[in-house]
Amino acid sequence: MHEMSLCEDVVQLIEDQATTQRFTRVSTVWLEIGALAGVEIQAMHFSFTAVARGTVADSAKLEIIDIAGIANCPACNQCIPVLARFDVCSECGHYPLDIIAGEEMRIKELEVQ
Amino acid sequence: MCTTCGCGEGETTIDGHSHDHSHMHHHHAGHGHGAIAATHAPGMSKSRILRIEQDILSKNNEYAAANRNHFNRHGMLVLNLVSSPGSGKTTLLTNTLSQLKNELPMAVIEGDQQTILDAERIRATGVKAIQINTGKGCHLDAHMVGHALEGLSPEEQSVLFIENVGNLVCPAAFDLGEAHKVVILSVTEGEDKPLKYPDMFHAADLMILNKIDLLPHLNFDVDACLDYARRVNPGIKILQLSATSGEGMENWFAWIRAAHELSLIGSRPTEKV
């Protein structure tokens, strides 16, 4: 359940932004979460609701943008979709692959008032 | 949530005390203090979209960078020990401390959800230790470690072991500022754990396969296990040992000595770098 800590970090970063960007309420939070980031999306929704209570993000809608896992194969130089860190190249069977997308955990945008 | 440095760790205690910022706030470099001035800005009430593009772990990473900077300046070798519960982490640690305490300055940060039992086991070896209880938290983060350092005051050029909460999932994502993550797996667990928990085995530089004295009584496939670990992390170093019988421990000590020697380079005051 590190989703709870991740949500605490999200809310903390939003509160910092509230000071510098001068807003008092957040209505929507867009997060980018990669398929290889080890994050349970359901747990994120549950945790966010709990952690945001009483903050500028209280009752804000959490929107998760899924980022698919993509790797580059150093052997055949193809970019291929991957579902796990230890996947082998679907073109030539080589591993390890260089992960180039899917590890993201980012706050992308906020809708604020 | 604390408004001094924004830490939201209501249940975390360090040696049984919740950390009180009026007494022991450690000023980490480069983090914005997040108390919100709930002022109403006229003309700002309409909705607008702000582009943030900020890593969720950026705060933890700032704390980790501050810790790492501190460790480097003091020539410390810091090892973050991670494993599932019951892998023999604490036994490995206490036997290591007993063997090396006359040779190297050492200290321990113990992370557990509850109880100070492990810190007491460590202190029984004569090495100083501080306990962080995370409450419901499933991992240590860099901010907790920064606070624990204030209470522990490890010696210059020492080896600091951070025994993380027993959990092969959550601690993988949280950099504490350590030089190396060391993952401990015991042969009483499944040999496919590196594939089941790839993030942790990917994040570790060293894997210790513990309790090898029990292999004759088990159906644990060592070769398959090592193959799985290398599939997830081709660069991982692997040591096989038994903390209880002592078999293989000399390799682990040799690894610690070599890593410690590396961490000293450039940290000695007379040295020009």
Side-chain angles (χ1 to χ4, degrees), chain B residues 238-256:
Chain B
I238 303 174
L239 300 176
Q240 300 182 48
L241 56 82
S242 163
T244 306
S245 76
E247 184 184 355
M249 286 289 276
E250 205 42 60
N251 288 331
W252 161 233
F253 300 152
W255 187 88
I256 293 172

Side-chain angles (χ1 to χ4, degrees), chain A residues 10-78:
Chain A
V10 167
V11 169
Q12 187 57 48
L13 291 170
I14 290 173
E15 297 211 315
D16 289 352
Q17 290 285 340
T19 314
T20 55
Q21 307 249 27
R22 294 171 171 277
F23 58 83
T24 53
R25 206 177 92 76
V26 180
S27 45
T28 315
V29 178
W30 283 273
L31 301 183
E32 285 182 331
I33 303 289
L36 309 175
V39 175
E40 272 297 329
I41 301 301
Q42 287 289 348
M44 273 312 264
H45 282 288
F46 173 80
S47 304
F48 183 76
T49 306
V51 170
R53 204 161 288 147
T55 74
V56 282
D58 199 336
S59 308
K61 199 164 132 197
L62 182 66
E63 297 275 3
I64 306 277
I65 304 162
D66 299 318
I67 308 284
I70 299 173
N72 181 63
C73 174
C76 69
N77 209 21
Q78 297 288 312

Side-chain angles (χ1 to χ4, degrees), chain B residues 113-181:
Chain B
Q113 288 198 317
Q114 302 288 344
T115 85
I116 53 165
L117 297 173
D118 280 0
E120 287 169 356
R121 276 177 73 186
I122 301 295
R123 288 185 192 123
T125 66
V127 172
K128 63 181 172 182
I130 194 162
Q131 179 85 49
I132 303 177
N133 285 129
T134 57
K136 290 195 182 66
C138 49
H139 59 273
L140 296 177
D141 64 37
H143 181 250
M144 296 176 198
V145 167
H147 279 297
L149 277 176
E150 294 167 352
L152 184 65
S153 312
E155 281 176 57
E156 293 278 313
Q157 307 190 336
S158 59
V159 180
L160 173 65
F161 297 94
I162 303 174
E163 186 177 343
N164 217 313
V165 178
N167 178 343
L168 276 177
V169 184
C170 309
F174 292 82
D175 183 9
L176 306 180
E178 73 274 0
H180 305 284
K181 280 192 179 72

Side-chain angles (χ1 to χ4, degrees), chain A residues 33-39 67-70 82-85 99 101-103, chain B residues 199:
Chain A
I33 303 289
L36 309 175
V39 175
I67 308 284
I70 299 173
V82 286
L83 296 174
R85 204 179 274 291
I99 306 290
E103 295 179 307
Chain B
D199 295 332

Side-chain angles (χ1 to χ4, degrees), chain A residues 1-3 5-19 21-24 27 30-33 36-38 44 51 55-56 84-86 88 95-96 103 105-113, chain B residues 1-2 5-9 32-41 44-60 138-139 169-170 173-174 194-195 198-199 202 227 230-232 234:
Chain A
M1 266 302 274
H2 63 306
E3 287 78 5
S5 323
L6 294 178
C7 286
E8 284 174 350
D9 287 354
V10 167
V11 169
Q12 187 57 48
L13 291 170
I14 290 173
E15 297 211 315
D16 289 352
Q17 290 285 340
T19 314
Q21 307 249 27
R22 294 171 171 277
F23 58 83
T24 53
S27 45
W30 283 273
L31 301 183
E32 285 182 331
I33 303 289
L36 309 175
M44 273 312 264
V51 170
T55 74
V56 282
R85 204 179 274 291
F86 49 81
V88 300
Y95 78 83
E103 295 179 307
M105 287 195 263
R106 295 172 70 77
I107 304 179
K108 187 161 177 60
E109 284 175 340
L110 301 176
E111 183 184 14
V112 303
Q113 288 85 34
Chain B
M1 189 175 286
C2 164
C5 65
C7 58
E9 57 197 315
H33 283 210
I36 295 169
T39 51
H40 178 70
M44 302 283 283
S45 56
K46 275 176 132 179
S47 271
R48 58 196 165 114
I49 302 288
L50 292 181
R51 218 174 165 74
I52 307 292
E53 301 285 356
Q54 204 169 9
D55 195 311
I56 295 176
L57 290 172
S58 56
K59 269 220 169 333
N60 183 73
C138 49
H139 59 273
V169 184
C170 309
F174 292 82
L195 295 186
D199 295 332
H202 180 78
D227 181 52
R230 292 192 177 109
R231 198 182 300 180
V232 174

